[in-house]
Amino acid sequence: MTDRAAAARRALREQRIETPSWAYANSGTRFKVFAQAGVPRDPWEKLADAATVHRFTGVAPTVALHIPWDRVEDYGALAKYAGEHGIGIGTINANVFQDDDYKLGSVTNPDPGVRRKATDHLLECVDIMDATGSRDLKLWFADGTNYPGQDSIRARQDRLAEALREVYDRLGDDQRMLLEYKLFEPAFYTTDVPDWGTSYAHCLELGPKATVCIDTGHHAPGTNIEFIVAFLLRAGRLGAFDFNSRFYADDDLMVGAADPFQLFRILFEIVSADALGTGYTSGGAPIAFMLDQCHNIEAKIPAIIRSVLNVQEATAKALLVDTDALAAAQSGGDVLGANAALMDAFSTDVRPLLGGLREEMGLDPDPVAAYRRSGYQERIVAERVGGTQAGWGA
Amino acid sequence: MTDRAAAARRALREQRIETPSWAYANSGTRFKVFAQAGVPRDPWEKLADAATVHRFTGVAPTVALHIPWDRVEDYGALAKYAGEHGIGIGTINANVFQDDDYKLGSVTNPDPGVRRKATDHLLECVDIMDATGSRDLKLWFADGTNYPGQDSIRARQDRLAEALREVYDRLGDDQRMLLEYKLFEPAFYTTDVPDWGTSYAHCLELGPKATVCIDTGHHAPGTNIEFIVAFLLRAGRLGAFDFNSRFYADDDLMVGAADPFQLFRILFEIVSADALGTGYTSGGAPIAFMLDQCHNIEAKIPAIIRSVLNVQEATAKALLVDTDALAAAQSGGDVLGANAALMDAFSTDVRPLLGGLREEMGLDPDPVAAYRRSGYQERIVAERVGGTQAGWGA
Amino acid sequence: MTDRAAAARRALREQRIETPSWAYANSGTRFKVFAQAGVPRDPWEKLADAATVHRFTGVAPTVALHIPWDRVEDYGALAKYAGEHGIGIGTINANVFQDDDYKLGSVTNPDPGVRRKATDHLLECVDIMDATGSRDLKLWFADGTNYPGQDSIRARQDRLAEALREVYDRLGDDQRMLLEYKLFEPAFYTTDVPDWGTSYAHCLELGPKATVCIDTGHHAPGTNIEFIVAFLLRAGRLGAFDFNSRFYADDDLMVGAADPFQLFRILFEIVSADALGTGYTSGGAPIAFMLDQCHNIEAKIPAIIRSVLNVQEATAKALLVDTDALAAAQSGGDVLGANAALMDAFSTDVRPLLGGLREEMGLDPDPVAAYRRSGYQERIVAERVGGTQAGWGA
Amino acid sequence: MTDRAAAARRALREQRIETPSWAYANSGTRFKVFAQAGVPRDPWEKLADAATVHRFTGVAPTVALHIPWDRVEDYGALAKYAGEHGIGIGTINANVFQDDDYKLGSVTNPDPGVRRKATDHLLECVDIMDATGSRDLKLWFADGTNYPGQDSIRARQDRLAEALREVYDRLGDDQRMLLEYKLFEPAFYTTDVPDWGTSYAHCLELGPKATVCIDTGHHAPGTNIEFIVAFLLRAGRLGAFDFNSRFYADDDLMVGAADPFQLFRILFEIVSADALGTGYTSGGAPIAFMLDQCHNIEAKIPAIIRSVLNVQEATAKALLVDTDALAAAQSGGDVLGANAALMDAFSTDVRPLLGGLREEMGLDPDPVAAYRRSGYQERIVAERVGGTQAGWGA
């Protein structure tokens, strides 16, 4: 094994990927939600599934919650339950888009009463973070308008800034705000945080604990995501990723499924900035690498395992880039040589390296196959009958 | 009034715009369906609303049905009820995307049993057409795949062709197939009828009663829709429009709301080909001009009235183009002059012309205001309590 | 005339639109530059054409220069010449993309010698501004890479920041930097200032005299430009516009030609923020409203006149919005009412209002027709023979 | 070596990739053409370079010509010269976009005289094919309009059809027409052959010798190119590829550089239809696999070698797909399994397989390195001084 491969293995061993509780639940498009057998019926079962993914991959030790989808009486008990299953509770995701009051927006709604309600929910999420010991509050706003003239673009920014300020000031010393952006959907004319520039500008105004969250599916066609990654790393404001992939809009497919080369380029920027582990902090903590996907037609747990492996494979390739050769070609203006240095790593089959690493960690080298053989799927299908399956909004 | 304005008025008086039963029902995005008060609870109430739109606009005399959303015991009775309300039943829209069996497709599903079920539903829709006296069967397929490799692109075309053939052969002499295309959603990797070329090619194979339906929201960014209109008119295969508007994807906003200039250009191609009324036929009938929209946050009936007016205004402008000046500039290579001839009509305020026409037709010149004053909205809000509101899928 | 119309007329009378010297010259695509008769052969003739546009429109009193395309021995003499023709010299546009040295970038080039040369050119432009009395330095960088790995995205940001700092510090007290962004072209993988967020972030770092320039053709598909306008107005960093229009990429068509409704929405944000005239300043001065277009196939001077009129018409409509009705509908959550308030203004034919204003200003109400009748075109075609026509790069 | 690998090797040995004469010449964007040392000054030198690419890759035995860029007195002599260098002359590319007469179009120009001139050029290209023994006439039309109203969309289709008919009828029995489409550029409002549907429809009208050419860079964002490939293969009308890659528009980067996964998917459709070699014919001949690229900033010959290798690597991966496992997963509705079967091949490092194949063919396993060592580049730089470098348009 070369020095570079050995270093890659060490870095990969430390990598952490958070899975989202809602990805274990049913999801769909506006046209139809297809139910799957064995899907969790409550937060506890979601945690059990997340723990299963971690058991087979070894690098997914936390799970993100979505409030109110994962509302429970006793969050301390939930955290304890997670711990007993070998995982921890990660990011708390606020949800201010599924109440009838939010038809015209949440924190940017023209109605002050609705804004108050929405901000109160965000504050409640910080309370939950206190209970679960979570570090990160992730904010995604569905807020926007569908028709020109519907509301004042600028006034909505004022209202947004006001709510963010109140929530930011509520954060504890070790807590961080992750502000997500999204081009469109569900709003179809304007979105109140449509791009990284808007998120970044609000973070700058708020203070050092506010950082940008990049959802890889939330960009306009043609957007160079790794540029944004590099820019935010340089500015010290890259807080988190919501990984998924897309061919068209916010398709929420498995990360790496639509464009594995793009995922590699993104991770190469991370690796180049030494930001894969704890070498880089933003808002007082390393980058949170999370999945945010919808497994509408494929089996959920193996799809999430597959997604974790896809991130690992892209990371492994990024770690194998011959950075000396790359830098020499770049500084010498050798366009083809520099590109070849990058592509050489991308063309490498890293599955043997990752298989070896897993064996070293006491895991099966093929987590998908191991899961299939484990009987877990058959067990949850058999056991999880009756009750109401969890889904987006449940 | 000039000769051109007089001719425009005559043409506008004959214009027909079909409204869709489902636009009167609740709708939303995958994130949330916001319910509205007074929304219909069954097909009969949808027809009552459609009749109301016609009563105020005078140019919306038919309503499209969606099966099974509008399934009733006795379609003859439904048609009779429509007639008593001053409207008729128009296009029958098949729905093969909301049953659990259709997770991997309907007529293109790898499972022959599912394909049979889907095709049978399409044949049932022709039975319903016989009962309602409908001329047009509109086919939109949600079929496609989410992941590369998921299924054979080519085999799915074979299956599609086979199902279409069976349905085509079932059509009566005075019936027509409208084959819609859509770039993406709900499928995110491939869609089995993704563009006009695919729809057109299948129509050519099927025979003269198969024509293309253009939904204005179903295109890739940058697509020139009026080019497609002009091309299909030339080829004699433009059967119908599903009008709506979009800023991003298939936003299904009110037609003309996002890009009124584009709507004008589309209607100018229609007018140029003398295809607004009965001067052009495809598959044995004139073009069916239909709305297909989702009024997720705005009041539904006034939104549909507004949409009808938007089509009328674009049409009026298209009719006012000084075609002699335009043709002279075009043949003389006068780029600016030709553009100016078109823009002159677009810049014209046609609302007085349309207001006058409505008065001539015994209507209020401002249908939206007249609806607001009519008390209809208050009445349906008061009366339609209890029961289950209709929505996408209900 | 209503109060609103009277106020609109006053505002329109004060409106200022700058035309670009290079739009009077030949231009084209990478496939072909089509030469036109009568095109200027030097900066002096470009100024004469710009003065002509101002003579017929009354609202285009300055012309932007591009260095080195407009390099002359004596810039003071050039400014004097402009003054004698009734116009002034406006923005100075730097050009660091047409020298062989810039193949891999200018201020972001991996070669320090090339960076020095590029920065020196930018500093020279400030010298020219001193000589011409220009307030604004416009910076657009073609810098970027074509292939992944070609250069370090982050290192290029460092180099960019360093060059911008040096130039910023050279600016006089009454001078301003306008930093333009562009999604792609001529670079096809990364662009070093690809979006407004990047430009804005650099401006914040530089200081108060650095502001963002929005070229309306430089965005990804689906980008909501008026959102960016509103955001930058709120942040006090909107310095300038480069107006043009596009259907696909950076098409550089006449402003308002591709999407007149979008232009109206942009100007409505301007009007709403009272930023049309001197009511808003950024970097110490009002917004610079400029054209930046390529008249590849249409006659240049009438195309520029047409463009000025298009901006005026969009502005007039924006000024006519019933802001009281709009605000009431917005705050009441009346989606359709608010949209209707905006659309009512857009649907208005403002040409009579503008014609009347021109007559009041002693101008012909139809500037295009007046130009055509003036004999100017025939004169320049006859006189400008011999010599080398100016074009992009000459 | 497995059976599958052995079969792959056999198929790869037979693969043929045509290089374009103009890719050896200077090129650029509308902003700047950067000249490179050693670039050919005439068609003979282009052929010498193409022969060099073939010498190192072994799979690029033909070169496409562009008329008039490659106009010579004696095409028979040119063909003989090619043969002496071990290659043949391939496709003849017509050029009707670089004459001043074509400002408003070539075969669709409103002026009949210009149309005649353009059609005559196309006929001349068939004459040249007779002289060179070329099988394929490739037609790409820059025709279109920049402004709405500029010309009649429909009339331009009529003119296009008329010209195509005349040229089609002139083709010899063993000759074929390849009709290319392109979304936009250089025309910015409409393009007369904007998409595959338009090209396909004209081919159907013309007859069996007319086939579609897919340039991979000529699509709207989000277009699924492999769908088009599969559709045209099924319809028997896929005649050729112009390979290149893009992030934004028609960037003309090296094929496989922007999205290697997409290239793999395209080639998988080819392989699935047994259309890589002579197993599939369209218009009487197999698919012509060609490059069409612009090496604006990178060294040209090694970039073309790299591009050939990229096509080979994608092809090798496509050939390695376990089609039995894939088909089983597809028919069983196993979404993840089917995707995994495809991805397994994509994740494989095929460079050893290709290196072995090259050694078997008597070639260096690393053609780029071998070219670098060969001294060819130094020789052409030294020898090709004086004269005028060839470029787009020269």
Side-chain angles (χ1 to χ4, degrees):
Chain A
M1 188 160 40
T2 66
D3 285 358
R4 202 177 297 280
R9 221 154 137 157
R10 281 192 301 276
L12 289 161
R13 190 165 187 148
E14 303 305 318
Q15 190 171 26
R16 296 289 172 263
I17 300 161
E18 184 163 309
T19 72
S21 70
W22 54 96
Y24 299 97
N26 283 324
S27 62
T29 69
R30 60 175 169 148
F31 295 103
K32 170 74 175 168
V33 172
F34 293 102
Q36 294 189 14
V39 156
R41 294 157 302 172
D42 56 41
W44 315 86
E45 291 182 350
K46 292 181 196 172
L47 262 57
D49 289 357
T52 302
V53 168
H54 181 50
R55 199 158 60 244
F56 286 98
T57 63
V59 294
T62 56
V63 58
L65 301 187
H66 216 291
I67 309 299
W69 297 342
D70 295 320
R71 188 167 275 157
V72 294
E73 285 296 305
D74 183 344
Y75 289 97
L78 195 68
K80 185 157 173 291
Y81 179 85
E84 290 163 2
H85 283 69
I87 59 170
I89 289 176
T91 304
I92 301 299
N93 290 257
N95 178 322
V96 282
F97 55 87
Q98 290 198 316
D99 190 287
D100 280 332
D101 281 342
Y102 298 142
K103 188 167 78 168
L104 302 182
S106 64
V107 295
T108 67
N109 198 298
D111 180 337
V114 176
R115 297 203 295 271
R116 186 66 257 155
K117 170 177 171 171
T119 305
D120 284 344
H121 172 73
L122 305 186
L123 296 172
E124 178 204 356
C125 286
V126 186
D127 294 340
I128 293 170
M129 291 166 69
D130 291 340
T132 57
S134 293
R135 182 188 65 206
D136 290 335
L137 174 67
K138 179 135 59 78
L139 301 180
W140 170 65
F141 296 103
D143 293 46
T145 59
N146 275 5
Y147 290 101
Q150 179 187 325
D151 201 359
S152 161
I153 296 173
R154 182 168 178 165
R156 293 176 79 92
Q157 287 299 313
D158 292 337
R159 298 170 199 150
L160 172 65
E162 188 181 342
L164 290 176
R165 167 59 56 201
E166 187 173 346
V167 176
Y168 184 89
D169 289 344
R170 165 68 183 81
L171 292 173
D173 286 345
D174 296 332
Q175 290 174 338
R176 184 168 65 161
M177 177 185 286
L178 307 175
L179 183 54
E180 195 168 335
Y181 59 91
K182 184 177 185 183
L183 180 67
F184 81 101
E185 196 211 22
F188 294 128
Y189 166 56
T190 60
T191 294
D192 292 321
V193 190
D195 54 19
W196 77 266
T198 305
S199 177
Y200 176 70
H202 279 286
C203 288
L204 285 185
E205 274 182 45
L206 288 168
K209 291 185 290 187
T211 66
V212 179
C213 173
I214 298 178
D215 183 305
T216 47
H218 289 188
H219 301 89
T223 302
N224 184 321
I225 299 176
E226 59 268 30
F227 177 91
I228 300 172
V229 172
F231 194 94
L232 288 174
L233 282 168
R234 181 178 179 271
R237 291 283 181 165
L238 178 50
F241 280 96
D242 269 8
F243 280 131
N244 50 58
S245 76
R246 49 78 74 95
F247 289 96
Y248 302 98
D250 187 29
D251 306 344
D252 280 330
L253 301 176
M254 297 188 298
V255 58
D259 189 347
F261 184 42
Q262 182 190 60
L263 181 61
F264 161 75
R265 298 192 311 260
I266 289 171
L267 280 155
F268 176 68
E269 292 302 322
I270 296 292
V271 166
S272 299
D274 192 21
L276 192 64
T278 55
Y280 165 94
T281 60
S282 172
I287 296 172
F289 295 94
M290 303 179 285
L291 304 181
D292 182 11
Q293 306 179 154
C294 292
H295 308 293
N296 297 344
I297 61 168
E298 68 272 25
K300 293 169 196 302
I301 294 174
I304 296 170
I305 294 175
R306 176 74 261 161
S307 303
V308 170
L309 306 192
N310 285 354
V311 175
Q312 285 186 297
E313 291 176 17
T315 307
K317 292 180 178 196
L319 288 161
L320 291 182
V321 172
D322 182 341
T323 48
D324 298 328
L326 181 69
Q330 288 178 342
S331 67
D334 178 2
V335 175
L336 291 171
N339 177 244
L342 195 77
M343 297 311 292
D344 183 44
F346 182 69
S347 297
T348 303
D349 189 342
V350 295
R351 293 174 298 175
L353 183 152
L354 284 162
L357 172 67
R358 287 186 198 111
E359 289 183 321
E360 193 181 282
M361 293 167 70
L363 299 170
D364 191 290
D366 183 344
V368 171
Y371 173 77
R372 288 240 155 95
R373 285 193 309 269
S374 72
Y376 186 85
Q377 186 73 32
E378 291 74 9
R379 194 162 72 245
I380 58 177
V381 168
E383 289 176 2
R384 294 177 182 173
V385 290
T388 305
Q389 287 188 312
W392 279 37
Chain B
M1 188 159 41
T2 64
D3 284 356
R4 201 176 298 279
R9 222 156 137 157
R10 282 191 301 275
L12 289 162
R13 190 164 188 151
E14 302 305 319
Q15 189 171 26
R16 295 290 172 264
I17 300 162
E18 183 162 309
T19 73
S21 70
W22 55 96
Y24 299 97
N26 284 323
S27 62
T29 69
R30 61 174 168 149
F31 295 103
K32 172 73 177 168
V33 172
F34 294 102
Q36 294 190 15
V39 156
R41 294 160 301 174
D42 58 39
W44 315 87
E45 290 182 351
K46 292 180 194 171
L47 262 57
D49 289 356
T52 302
V53 168
H54 181 51
R55 199 160 61 246
F56 286 98
T57 63
V59 294
T62 57
V63 58
L65 300 188
H66 216 293
I67 308 299
W69 298 342
D70 294 321
R71 189 166 275 158
V72 293
E73 285 296 306
D74 183 345
Y75 289 98
L78 195 69
K80 184 157 174 289
Y81 179 85
E84 289 164 3
H85 283 69
I87 60 171
I89 289 177
T91 304
I92 299 300
N93 290 256
N95 178 322
V96 282
F97 55 88
Q98 290 198 316
D99 190 286
D100 280 332
D101 281 341
Y102 299 142
K103 189 167 76 166
L104 302 182
S106 64
V107 294
T108 67
N109 198 297
D111 180 337
V114 176
R115 296 204 295 273
R116 184 68 257 153
K117 171 176 171 170
T119 305
D120 284 345
H121 172 72
L122 305 185
L123 296 172
E124 177 203 357
C125 285
V126 186
D127 294 340
I128 293 171
M129 291 166 69
D130 290 341
T132 57
S134 293
R135 183 188 61 208
D136 289 335
L137 173 67
K138 178 137 59 79
L139 301 181
W140 170 65
F141 296 103
D143 294 45
T145 60
N146 274 5
Y147 290 101
Q150 179 187 325
D151 201 0
S152 161
I153 297 172
R154 181 167 179 166
R156 293 175 80 92
Q157 288 299 313
D158 292 337
R159 299 170 199 149
L160 173 65
E162 187 182 343
L164 290 176
R165 166 59 55 200
E166 185 174 347
V167 176
Y168 184 88
D169 289 344
R170 164 70 183 82
L171 291 174
D173 286 345
D174 295 332
Q175 290 174 337
R176 184 168 65 161
M177 177 185 287
L178 307 175
L179 182 55
E180 197 167 334
Y181 58 91
K182 185 177 185 183
L183 180 67
F184 81 102
E185 195 212 22
F188 294 129
Y189 165 57
T190 58
T191 295
D192 292 320
V193 190
D195 55 18
W196 77 266
T198 306
S199 177
Y200 176 69
H202 280 286
C203 288
L204 284 186
E205 273 180 45
L206 288 169
K209 289 184 291 186
T211 66
V212 180
C213 173
I214 298 177
D215 183 303
T216 48
H218 288 189
H219 300 86
T223 303
N224 184 321
I225 299 175
E226 59 268 30
F227 176 90
I228 300 172
V229 172
F231 194 94
L232 289 174
L233 283 167
R234 180 177 179 271
R237 291 282 181 164
L238 178 50
F241 280 96
D242 268 7
F243 279 131
N244 51 58
S245 76
R246 50 80 72 97
F247 287 95
Y248 303 97
D250 186 30
D251 305 344
D252 279 330
L253 301 177
M254 297 188 298
V255 59
D259 189 347
F261 184 41
Q262 182 190 59
L263 181 61
F264 161 74
R265 298 192 310 261
I266 289 170
L267 280 155
F268 176 67
E269 291 302 323
I270 296 292
V271 166
S272 299
D274 191 22
L276 193 62
T278 54
Y280 165 94
T281 59
S282 171
I287 296 173
F289 296 93
M290 303 180 284
L291 304 181
D292 182 10
Q293 306 180 155
C294 292
H295 308 292
N296 297 343
I297 60 168
E298 69 271 25
K300 293 170 196 302
I301 295 173
I304 296 170
I305 294 174
R306 176 74 263 160
S307 303
V308 170
L309 306 191
N310 284 355
V311 175
Q312 285 187 297
E313 291 176 16
T315 307
K317 292 181 179 197
L319 289 161
L320 291 180
V321 173
D322 182 339
T323 47
D324 298 329
L326 181 70
Q330 289 178 341
S331 66
D334 178 2
V335 175
L336 291 170
N339 177 245
L342 195 77
M343 297 311 293
D344 183 45
F346 182 68
S347 297
T348 302
D349 190 342
V350 295
R351 292 174 299 176
L353 182 152
L354 284 162
L357 171 67
R358 289 186 196 110
E359 289 184 319
E360 195 181 280
M361 292 167 72
L363 299 169
D364 191 290
D366 182 344
V368 171
Y371 173 76
R372 288 239 156 94
R373 283 193 310 270
S374 72
Y376 186 85
Q377 186 74 33
E378 292 74 10
R379 194 162 73 245
I380 59 176
V381 167
E383 290 176 1
R384 294 177 183 173
V385 291
T388 305
Q389 286 187 312
W392 278 38
Chain C
M1 189 161 37
T2 66
D3 284 357
R4 200 175 298 280
R9 221 156 136 156
R10 281 192 301 276
L12 289 161
R13 190 164 187 150
E14 302 304 319
Q15 190 170 27
R16 296 290 173 261
I17 300 160
E18 184 163 308
T19 72
S21 70
W22 55 96
Y24 299 98
N26 283 324
S27 62
T29 69
R30 61 173 167 149
F31 294 103
K32 172 73 176 169
V33 172
F34 294 102
Q36 294 189 15
V39 157
R41 294 159 302 173
D42 57 40
W44 315 86
E45 291 182 350
K46 293 180 194 171
L47 262 59
D49 289 356
T52 301
V53 168
H54 181 49
R55 199 160 60 243
F56 286 98
T57 63
V59 295
T62 56
V63 59
L65 300 188
H66 216 291
I67 308 299
W69 299 342
D70 295 320
R71 188 165 275 156
V72 294
E73 285 296 306
D74 183 345
Y75 290 98
L78 195 69
K80 185 157 173 288
Y81 179 85
E84 289 163 3
H85 283 70
I87 59 171
I89 289 176
T91 304
I92 300 298
N93 291 257
N95 177 322
V96 282
F97 54 89
Q98 290 198 316
D99 189 288
D100 280 331
D101 281 341
Y102 298 141
K103 189 166 77 166
L104 303 181
S106 65
V107 295
T108 68
N109 198 297
D111 180 338
V114 176
R115 297 204 294 273
R116 186 66 258 155
K117 171 177 171 170
T119 306
D120 284 343
H121 172 72
L122 305 185
L123 296 172
E124 179 203 356
C125 286
V126 186
D127 294 340
I128 293 171
M129 291 166 69
D130 290 341
T132 58
S134 292
R135 182 188 63 206
D136 290 336
L137 174 67
K138 179 137 59 80
L139 301 181
W140 171 64
F141 296 104
D143 293 45
T145 59
N146 275 6
Y147 290 101
Q150 180 187 326
D151 201 0
S152 161
I153 297 173
R154 182 167 178 166
R156 293 176 79 93
Q157 288 298 313
D158 292 338
R159 298 171 200 149
L160 173 66
E162 186 182 342
L164 290 176
R165 168 56 57 200
E166 186 174 346
V167 175
Y168 183 88
D169 289 344
R170 165 67 183 82
L171 291 174
D173 287 346
D174 296 332
Q175 290 174 338
R176 186 169 64 161
M177 178 187 284
L178 308 175
L179 183 54
E180 196 167 334
Y181 58 91
K182 184 177 184 183
L183 179 67
F184 82 100
E185 197 214 21
F188 293 128
Y189 167 56
T190 59
T191 294
D192 292 320
V193 190
D195 55 17
W196 77 267
T198 306
S199 177
Y200 176 70
H202 280 286
C203 288
L204 285 185
E205 274 181 46
L206 288 168
K209 290 183 291 188
T211 65
V212 180
C213 174
I214 299 176
D215 183 304
T216 47
H218 288 189
H219 301 87
T223 302
N224 184 321
I225 299 176
E226 58 268 29
F227 176 89
I228 300 173
V229 172
F231 194 94
L232 289 174
L233 283 168
R234 181 178 178 271
R237 292 282 181 163
L238 178 49
F241 280 96
D242 269 7
F243 280 131
N244 51 58
S245 75
R246 51 79 72 97
F247 288 95
Y248 303 96
D250 187 29
D251 306 345
D252 280 328
L253 301 176
M254 298 188 297
V255 59
D259 189 346
F261 183 42
Q262 181 191 59
L263 181 62
F264 161 75
R265 299 193 309 262
I266 290 171
L267 280 155
F268 176 68
E269 292 302 323
I270 297 291
V271 165
S272 299
D274 191 21
L276 192 64
T278 56
Y280 166 92
T281 60
S282 172
I287 296 171
F289 296 94
M290 302 179 286
L291 304 182
D292 182 11
Q293 305 180 157
C294 292
H295 308 293
N296 297 343
I297 60 168
E298 69 271 26
K300 294 171 196 298
I301 295 175
I304 297 171
I305 294 174
R306 176 75 262 160
S307 303
V308 170
L309 306 191
N310 284 356
V311 175
Q312 284 187 299
E313 290 176 16
T315 307
K317 292 180 178 195
L319 288 160
L320 290 181
V321 172
D322 182 340
T323 48
D324 297 329
L326 181 70
Q330 288 178 342
S331 66
D334 178 2
V335 175
L336 290 170
N339 177 244
L342 195 77
M343 296 312 291
D344 183 43
F346 182 70
S347 298
T348 303
D349 190 341
V350 294
R351 293 175 298 177
L353 182 152
L354 284 162
L357 171 67
R358 287 187 197 109
E359 288 183 321
E360 194 182 280
M361 293 168 71
L363 299 170
D364 191 290
D366 183 343
V368 171
Y371 173 77
R372 288 240 156 94
R373 284 193 310 269
S374 72
Y376 186 85
Q377 187 73 32
E378 291 75 9
R379 197 163 67 246
I380 58 176
V381 168
E383 289 176 1
R384 294 177 183 172
V385 289
T388 305
Q389 287 188 312
W392 279 38
Chain D
M1 187 161 40
T2 65
D3 285 357
R4 202 176 296 282
R9 220 155 137 157
R10 280 192 301 277
L12 289 162
R13 191 166 185 147
E14 302 305 318
Q15 189 171 27
R16 296 290 172 263
I17 300 161
E18 183 162 310
T19 72
S21 69
W22 54 96
Y24 298 98
N26 283 324
S27 63
T29 68
R30 60 174 169 148
F31 295 103
K32 171 72 176 170
V33 172
F34 293 102
Q36 295 189 14
V39 156
R41 295 160 300 174
D42 57 41
W44 315 85
E45 291 182 349
K46 293 181 194 171
L47 261 58
D49 289 357
T52 301
V53 169
H54 181 50
R55 200 159 57 244
F56 287 98
T57 62
V59 295
T62 56
V63 58
L65 300 188
H66 215 292
I67 308 298
W69 299 343
D70 295 320
R71 187 166 276 158
V72 294
E73 285 296 306
D74 183 344
Y75 289 98
L78 195 69
K80 186 157 172 289
Y81 179 85
E84 290 163 2
H85 283 70
I87 59 172
I89 290 177
T91 304
I92 300 300
N93 289 257
N95 177 322
V96 282
F97 54 88
Q98 289 199 316
D99 189 288
D100 280 332
D101 280 342
Y102 298 141
K103 188 166 77 166
L104 302 182
S106 64
V107 296
T108 67
N109 198 298
D111 180 338
V114 176
R115 296 203 296 273
R116 187 65 258 155
K117 171 177 170 170
T119 305
D120 284 343
H121 172 73
L122 305 185
L123 297 173
E124 178 203 355
C125 286
V126 186
D127 294 340
I128 293 171
M129 293 167 67
D130 290 341
T132 58
S134 293
R135 182 188 63 207
D136 290 336
L137 174 67
K138 179 135 62 75
L139 301 181
W140 171 64
F141 297 103
D143 294 44
T145 60
N146 275 5
Y147 290 102
Q150 179 187 324
D151 200 0
S152 162
I153 296 173
R154 181 167 179 166
R156 293 176 78 93
Q157 288 297 315
D158 292 337
R159 297 171 201 150
L160 172 65
E162 186 181 343
L164 290 175
R165 167 57 57 201
E166 186 174 347
V167 176
Y168 184 88
D169 289 344
R170 163 69 182 81
L171 291 174
D173 286 345
D174 295 332
Q175 291 175 338
R176 185 168 66 161
M177 178 186 285
L178 308 175
L179 183 54
E180 196 167 335
Y181 59 91
K182 184 176 184 184
L183 179 67
F184 81 99
E185 195 212 20
F188 294 129
Y189 166 55
T190 58
T191 294
D192 292 320
V193 190
D195 54 18
W196 77 266
T198 305
S199 177
Y200 176 69
H202 279 285
C203 288
L204 285 185
E205 274 181 46
L206 288 168
K209 290 184 290 186
T211 66
V212 179
C213 173
I214 298 178
D215 183 303
T216 48
H218 288 188
H219 301 87
T223 302
N224 185 322
I225 299 175
E226 59 268 30
F227 176 90
I228 300 172
V229 172
F231 195 93
L232 289 175
L233 282 168
R234 180 178 179 271
R237 291 284 181 163
L238 179 49
F241 280 96
D242 268 7
F243 279 130
N244 51 58
S245 76
R246 50 78 73 96
F247 288 95
Y248 302 96
D250 185 30
D251 306 346
D252 280 329
L253 301 176
M254 296 187 299
V255 58
D259 189 346
F261 184 41
Q262 181 190 60
L263 181 61
F264 162 74
R265 299 191 311 261
I266 289 171
L267 280 155
F268 176 68
E269 292 302 324
I270 296 291
V271 166
S272 299
D274 191 20
L276 193 63
T278 53
Y280 166 93
T281 59
S282 172
I287 296 172
F289 296 94
M290 303 179 284
L291 304 182
D292 183 10
Q293 305 181 155
C294 293
H295 308 293
N296 297 342
I297 60 169
E298 68 272 25
K300 293 170 196 300
I301 295 173
I304 296 170
I305 294 175
R306 177 75 261 160
S307 302
V308 170
L309 306 192
N310 285 355
V311 175
Q312 284 187 297
E313 291 177 16
T315 306
K317 293 180 178 196
L319 289 161
L320 292 181
V321 172
D322 182 340
T323 48
D324 297 329
L326 181 71
Q330 287 178 342
S331 65
D334 178 1
V335 175
L336 290 171
N339 178 243
L342 195 76
M343 297 310 293
D344 183 43
F346 182 68
S347 297
T348 303
D349 190 340
V350 294
R351 293 174 298 176
L353 183 152
L354 284 162
L357 171 66
R358 286 187 199 110
E359 289 183 322
E360 193 181 283
M361 292 167 73
L363 299 170
D364 191 289
D366 183 344
V368 171
Y371 174 76
R372 288 240 156 95
R373 285 193 309 270
S374 72
Y376 186 85
Q377 186 74 31
E378 291 75 10
R379 195 163 70 244
I380 59 177
V381 168
E383 289 176 4
R384 294 177 183 172
V385 289
T388 305
Q389 287 187 310
W392 280 37

